[in-house]
Amino acid sequence: DTAVSQTPKYLVTQMGNDKSIKCEQNLGHDTMYWYKQDSKKFLKIMFSYNNKELIINETVPNRFSPKSPDKAHLNLHINSLELGDSAVYFCASSPKSSGTEAFFGQGTRLTVV
Amino acid sequence: DAKTTQPPSMDCAEGRAANLPCNHSTISGNEYVYWYRQIHSQGPQYIIHGLKNNETNEMASLIITEDRKSSTLILPHATLRDTAVYYCIGIAGGTSYGKLTFGQGTILTVHP
């Protein structure tokens, strides 16, 4: 009974394609996030949504568009994929009250060729 | 958020205590110290956090110095499964909405 689940786990695609990564949490949390971990293993926040409202956008290219249809889901759509987008993308959620005890998904390894 | 400094790597023998230090000399009064870890190929996992007092939970203990300029995460009986990258993060209380700024962390290797 996974708390934060992402699909797919692996994604290999060609440059220029458009792809989506889905995330769902069954914890009843108000806040969800997308983080990116690059090849040097640095983890950086990309977006944060609270009750379907965008809270944080860390100067991510507008080719990346998060969508939150409800507070249990936060999907990430990426247009015109570039080689530099290759990374592991983590979805996370946290209760609004704590904000920082985040639960992370297992990650989606995106490889752009 | 406070800048934190951690040693790049540490070793520990299985069954012994692992003591992971973190310096956060610029931490302000309302900033908490959070610890996360990332086991290979998995998402980060919350461990523990504290403000001023020492804290303990089922995973670890957190010792914060009185001046709050440094802290130590203690895994009392390390196992091979505790091999991971450990991150110390300083976060202001309030409406940060969980923005975690991960540094390079400490690679802890637990060996038999």
Side-chain angles (χ1 to χ4, degrees), chain A residues 33-55:
Chain A
Y33 317 83
W34 279 107
Y35 282 81
K36 177 181 178 181
Q37 188 165 38
D38 60 24
S39 57
K40 295 184 179 178
K41 304 295 184 184
F42 284 111
L43 259 166
K44 291 184 181 177
I45 192 165
M46 300 173 68
F47 299 103
S48 168
Y49 267 73
N50 186 60
N51 275 323
K52 303 193 298 174
E53 182 184 345
L54 180 66
I55 300 295

mmCIF file of all heavy atoms in Angstrom, chain A residues 33-55:
data_model
loop_
_atom_site.group_PDB
_atom_site.id
_atom_site.type_symbol
_atom_site.label_atom_id
_atom_site.label_comp_id
_atom_site.label_asym_id
_atom_site.label_seq_id
_atom_site.Cartn_x
_atom_site.Cartn_y
_atom_site.Cartn_z
ATOM 1 N N TYR A 33 4.980 17.886 -4.076
ATOM 2 C CA TYR A 33 6.180 18.498 -4.646
ATOM 3 C C TYR A 33 6.733 17.649 -5.783
ATOM 4 O O TYR A 33 6.522 16.451 -5.837
ATOM 5 C CB TYR A 33 7.305 18.579 -3.589
ATOM 6 C CG TYR A 33 6.868 19.016 -2.229
ATOM 7 C CD1 TYR A 33 6.331 18.109 -1.326
ATOM 8 C CD2 TYR A 33 7.010 20.341 -1.825
ATOM 9 C CE1 TYR A 33 5.929 18.503 -0.063
ATOM 10 C CE2 TYR A 33 6.620 20.745 -0.560
ATOM 11 C CZ TYR A 33 6.082 19.823 0.311
ATOM 12 O OH TYR A 33 5.683 20.216 1.566
ATOM 13 N N TRP A 34 7.514 18.326 -6.612
ATOM 14 C CA TRP A 34 8.407 17.637 -7.536
ATOM 15 C C TRP A 34 9.829 18.093 -7.264
ATOM 16 O O TRP A 34 10.092 19.294 -7.154
ATOM 17 C CB TRP A 34 8.046 17.923 -9.003
ATOM 18 C CG TRP A 34 6.921 17.082 -9.494
ATOM 19 C CD1 TRP A 34 5.637 17.470 -9.736
ATOM 20 C CD2 TRP A 34 6.973 15.677 -9.799
ATOM 21 N NE1 TRP A 34 4.886 16.401 -10.164
ATOM 22 C CE2 TRP A 34 5.680 15.294 -10.220
ATOM 23 C CE3 TRP A 34 7.980 14.706 -9.767
ATOM 24 C CZ2 TRP A 34 5.378 13.985 -10.596
ATOM 25 C CZ3 TRP A 34 7.672 13.418 -10.148
ATOM 26 C CH2 TRP A 34 6.383 13.067 -10.553
ATOM 27 N N TYR A 35 10.721 17.098 -7.147
ATOM 28 C CA TYR A 35 12.143 17.340 -6.987
ATOM 29 C C TYR A 35 12.879 16.691 -8.151
ATOM 30 O O TYR A 35 12.437 15.679 -8.688
ATOM 31 C CB TYR A 35 12.672 16.713 -5.685
ATOM 32 C CG TYR A 35 12.373 17.490 -4.438
ATOM 33 C CD1 TYR A 35 11.126 17.402 -3.827
ATOM 34 C CD2 TYR A 35 13.337 18.304 -3.840
ATOM 35 C CE1 TYR A 35 10.850 18.120 -2.670
ATOM 36 C CE2 TYR A 35 13.072 19.010 -2.684
ATOM 37 C CZ TYR A 35 11.826 18.910 -2.109
ATOM 38 O OH TYR A 35 11.567 19.613 -0.957
ATOM 39 N N LYS A 36 14.038 17.264 -8.482
ATOM 40 C CA LYS A 36 14.867 16.698 -9.542
ATOM 41 C C LYS A 36 16.237 16.357 -8.967
ATOM 42 O O LYS A 36 16.828 17.172 -8.246
ATOM 43 C CB LYS A 36 15.034 17.711 -10.686
ATOM 44 C CG LYS A 36 15.933 17.256 -11.811
ATOM 45 C CD LYS A 36 16.060 18.336 -12.882
ATOM 46 C CE LYS A 36 16.999 17.906 -14.009
ATOM 47 N NZ LYS A 36 17.131 18.972 -15.050
ATOM 48 N N GLN A 37 16.734 15.161 -9.255
ATOM 49 C CA GLN A 37 18.072 14.755 -8.822
ATOM 50 C C GLN A 37 18.914 14.509 -10.060
ATOM 51 O O GLN A 37 18.641 13.591 -10.832
ATOM 52 C CB GLN A 37 18.037 13.504 -7.945
ATOM 53 C CG GLN A 37 19.387 13.173 -7.320
ATOM 54 C CD GLN A 37 19.265 12.165 -6.194
ATOM 55 O OE1 GLN A 37 18.476 11.233 -6.264
ATOM 56 N NE2 GLN A 37 20.041 12.351 -5.141
ATOM 57 N N ASP A 38 19.931 15.351 -10.238
ATOM 58 C CA ASP A 38 20.724 15.264 -11.461
ATOM 59 C C ASP A 38 21.820 14.200 -11.335
ATOM 60 O O ASP A 38 21.903 13.496 -10.322
ATOM 61 C CB ASP A 38 21.309 16.629 -11.819
ATOM 62 C CG ASP A 38 22.217 17.168 -10.726
ATOM 63 O OD1 ASP A 38 22.762 16.370 -9.938
ATOM 64 O OD2 ASP A 38 22.380 18.396 -10.659
ATOM 65 N N SER A 39 22.663 14.146 -12.334
ATOM 66 C CA SER A 39 23.692 13.092 -12.386
ATOM 67 C C SER A 39 24.713 13.234 -11.270
ATOM 68 O O SER A 39 25.364 12.266 -10.888
ATOM 69 C CB SER A 39 24.394 13.102 -13.735
ATOM 70 O OG SER A 39 24.949 14.373 -13.976
ATOM 71 N N LYS A 40 24.857 14.436 -10.738
ATOM 72 C CA LYS A 40 25.775 14.652 -9.620
ATOM 73 C C LYS A 40 25.090 14.403 -8.287
ATOM 74 O O LYS A 40 25.657 14.686 -7.234
ATOM 75 C CB LYS A 40 26.335 16.070 -9.666
ATOM 76 C CG LYS A 40 27.202 16.321 -10.878
ATOM 77 C CD LYS A 40 27.817 17.703 -10.845
ATOM 78 C CE LYS A 40 28.704 17.901 -12.066
ATOM 79 N NZ LYS A 40 29.304 19.250 -12.115
ATOM 80 N N LYS A 41 23.885 13.924 -8.326
ATOM 81 C CA LYS A 41 23.112 13.522 -7.143
ATOM 82 C C LYS A 41 22.569 14.679 -6.319
ATOM 83 O O LYS A 41 22.116 14.473 -5.202
ATOM 84 C CB LYS A 41 23.939 12.600 -6.233
ATOM 85 C CG LYS A 41 24.457 11.359 -6.941
ATOM 86 C CD LYS A 41 23.317 10.480 -7.359
ATOM 87 C CE LYS A 41 23.825 9.189 -7.983
ATOM 88 N NZ LYS A 41 22.724 8.349 -8.490
ATOM 89 N N PHE A 42 22.622 15.907 -6.871
ATOM 90 C CA PHE A 42 22.020 17.007 -6.135
ATOM 91 C C PHE A 42 20.498 16.963 -6.294
ATOM 92 O O PHE A 42 19.993 16.851 -7.408
ATOM 93 C CB PHE A 42 22.539 18.354 -6.643
ATOM 94 C CG PHE A 42 23.923 18.663 -6.179
ATOM 95 C CD1 PHE A 42 24.984 18.675 -7.066
ATOM 96 C CD2 PHE A 42 24.172 18.934 -4.841
ATOM 97 C CE1 PHE A 42 26.259 18.943 -6.636
ATOM 98 C CE2 PHE A 42 25.458 19.208 -4.406
ATOM 99 C CZ PHE A 42 26.498 19.215 -5.310
ATOM 100 N N LEU A 43 19.810 17.076 -5.170
ATOM 101 C CA LEU A 43 18.352 17.090 -5.156
ATOM 102 C C LEU A 43 17.874 18.524 -5.055
ATOM 103 O O LEU A 43 18.229 19.235 -4.118
ATOM 104 C CB LEU A 43 17.838 16.336 -3.929
ATOM 105 C CG LEU A 43 17.345 14.925 -4.094
ATOM 106 C CD1 LEU A 43 17.202 14.261 -2.747
ATOM 107 C CD2 LEU A 43 16.018 14.886 -4.830
ATOM 108 N N LYS A 44 17.018 18.947 -6.001
ATOM 109 C CA LYS A 44 16.515 20.319 -5.963
ATOM 110 C C LYS A 44 15.017 20.343 -6.150
ATOM 111 O O LYS A 44 14.481 19.603 -6.980
ATOM 112 C CB LYS A 44 17.161 21.151 -7.071
ATOM 113 C CG LYS A 44 18.625 21.423 -6.897
ATOM 114 C CD LYS A 44 19.151 22.342 -7.991
ATOM 115 C CE LYS A 44 20.636 22.586 -7.803
ATOM 116 N NZ LYS A 44 21.188 23.425 -8.891
ATOM 117 N N ILE A 45 14.379 21.207 -5.410
ATOM 118 C CA ILE A 45 12.931 21.319 -5.556
ATOM 119 C C ILE A 45 12.608 22.020 -6.871
ATOM 120 O O ILE A 45 13.328 22.912 -7.317
ATOM 121 C CB ILE A 45 12.295 22.071 -4.372
ATOM 122 C CG1 ILE A 45 10.778 21.920 -4.412
ATOM 123 C CG2 ILE A 45 12.722 23.530 -4.347
ATOM 124 C CD1 ILE A 45 10.083 22.310 -3.126
ATOM 125 N N MET A 46 11.554 21.564 -7.513
ATOM 126 C CA MET A 46 11.084 22.199 -8.745
ATOM 127 C C MET A 46 9.785 22.950 -8.477
ATOM 128 O O MET A 46 9.650 24.122 -8.778
ATOM 129 C CB MET A 46 10.846 21.135 -9.814
ATOM 130 C CG MET A 46 12.067 20.334 -10.186
ATOM 131 S SD MET A 46 11.655 18.985 -11.297
ATOM 132 C CE MET A 46 11.198 19.875 -12.781
ATOM 133 N N PHE A 47 8.817 22.236 -7.940
ATOM 134 C CA PHE A 47 7.478 22.804 -7.726
ATOM 135 C C PHE A 47 6.920 22.335 -6.387
ATOM 136 O O PHE A 47 7.249 21.262 -5.901
ATOM 137 C CB PHE A 47 6.493 22.339 -8.809
ATOM 138 C CG PHE A 47 6.855 22.718 -10.205
ATOM 139 C CD1 PHE A 47 7.399 21.773 -11.063
ATOM 140 C CD2 PHE A 47 6.650 24.004 -10.670
ATOM 141 C CE1 PHE A 47 7.737 22.102 -12.358
ATOM 142 C CE2 PHE A 47 6.982 24.345 -11.964
ATOM 143 C CZ PHE A 47 7.531 23.391 -12.813
ATOM 144 N N SER A 48 6.021 23.173 -5.859
ATOM 145 C CA SER A 48 5.259 22.779 -4.697
ATOM 146 C C SER A 48 3.820 23.227 -4.909
ATOM 147 O O SER A 48 3.570 24.354 -5.354
ATOM 148 C CB SER A 48 5.840 23.428 -3.436
ATOM 149 O OG SER A 48 4.953 23.273 -2.357
ATOM 150 N N TYR A 49 2.887 22.335 -4.608
ATOM 151 C CA TYR A 49 1.467 22.647 -4.716
ATOM 152 C C TYR A 49 0.826 22.429 -3.350
ATOM 153 O O TYR A 49 1.093 21.429 -2.676
ATOM 154 C CB TYR A 49 0.776 21.716 -5.723
ATOM 155 C CG TYR A 49 0.710 22.253 -7.118
ATOM 156 C CD1 TYR A 49 1.863 22.307 -7.896
ATOM 157 C CD2 TYR A 49 -0.474 22.693 -7.666
ATOM 158 C CE1 TYR A 49 1.817 22.798 -9.182
ATOM 159 C CE2 TYR A 49 -0.529 23.188 -8.966
ATOM 160 C CZ TYR A 49 0.619 23.237 -9.714
ATOM 161 O OH TYR A 49 0.577 23.728 -11.000
ATOM 162 N N ASN A 50 -0.045 23.347 -2.960
ATOM 163 C CA ASN A 50 -0.799 23.185 -1.734
ATOM 164 C C ASN A 50 -2.291 23.271 -2.081
ATOM 165 O O ASN A 50 -2.744 24.297 -2.588
ATOM 166 C CB ASN A 50 -0.429 24.255 -0.711
ATOM 167 C CG ASN A 50 -1.104 24.023 0.617
ATOM 168 O OD1 ASN A 50 -0.914 22.991 1.257
ATOM 169 N ND2 ASN A 50 -1.923 24.967 1.047
ATOM 170 N N ASN A 51 -3.010 22.199 -1.833
ATOM 171 C CA ASN A 51 -4.431 22.153 -2.182
ATOM 172 C C ASN A 51 -4.688 22.587 -3.620
ATOM 173 O O ASN A 51 -5.519 23.446 -3.895
ATOM 174 C CB ASN A 51 -5.264 23.022 -1.242
ATOM 175 C CG ASN A 51 -5.639 22.279 0.014
ATOM 176 O OD1 ASN A 51 -5.909 21.073 -0.024
ATOM 177 N ND2 ASN A 51 -5.641 22.982 1.124
ATOM 178 N N LYS A 52 -3.926 22.042 -4.521
ATOM 179 C CA LYS A 52 -4.028 22.254 -5.967
ATOM 180 C C LYS A 52 -3.540 23.625 -6.415
ATOM 181 O O LYS A 52 -3.644 23.961 -7.589
ATOM 182 C CB LYS A 52 -5.468 22.038 -6.469
ATOM 183 C CG LYS A 52 -6.054 20.667 -6.164
ATOM 184 C CD LYS A 52 -7.324 20.419 -6.943
ATOM 185 C CE LYS A 52 -8.419 21.390 -6.600
ATOM 186 N NZ LYS A 52 -9.609 21.228 -7.469
ATOM 187 N N GLU A 53 -2.995 24.410 -5.501
ATOM 188 C CA GLU A 53 -2.526 25.744 -5.870
ATOM 189 C C GLU A 53 -0.996 25.776 -5.893
ATOM 190 O O GLU A 53 -0.345 25.299 -4.954
ATOM 191 C CB GLU A 53 -3.045 26.772 -4.865
ATOM 192 C CG GLU A 53 -2.650 28.201 -5.185
ATOM 193 C CD GLU A 53 -3.120 29.162 -4.105
ATOM 194 O OE1 GLU A 53 -3.973 28.773 -3.283
ATOM 195 O OE2 GLU A 53 -2.614 30.290 -4.079
ATOM 196 N N LEU A 54 -0.416 26.332 -6.957
ATOM 197 C CA LEU A 54 1.035 26.416 -7.070
ATOM 198 C C LEU A 54 1.592 27.349 -6.005
ATOM 199 O O LEU A 54 1.172 28.504 -5.886
ATOM 200 C CB LEU A 54 1.416 26.921 -8.465
ATOM 201 C CG LEU A 54 2.913 27.062 -8.739
ATOM 202 C CD1 LEU A 54 3.598 25.697 -8.730
ATOM 203 C CD2 LEU A 54 3.142 27.759 -10.072
ATOM 204 N N ILE A 55 2.552 26.839 -5.215
ATOM 205 C CA ILE A 55 3.149 27.624 -4.142
ATOM 206 C C ILE A 55 4.591 27.998 -4.468
ATOM 207 O O ILE A 55 5.027 29.098 -4.247
ATOM 208 C CB ILE A 55 3.108 26.849 -2.806
ATOM 209 C CG1 ILE A 55 1.677 26.535 -2.416
ATOM 210 C CG2 ILE A 55 3.823 27.604 -1.705
ATOM 211 C CD1 ILE A 55 0.839 27.740 -2.118
#
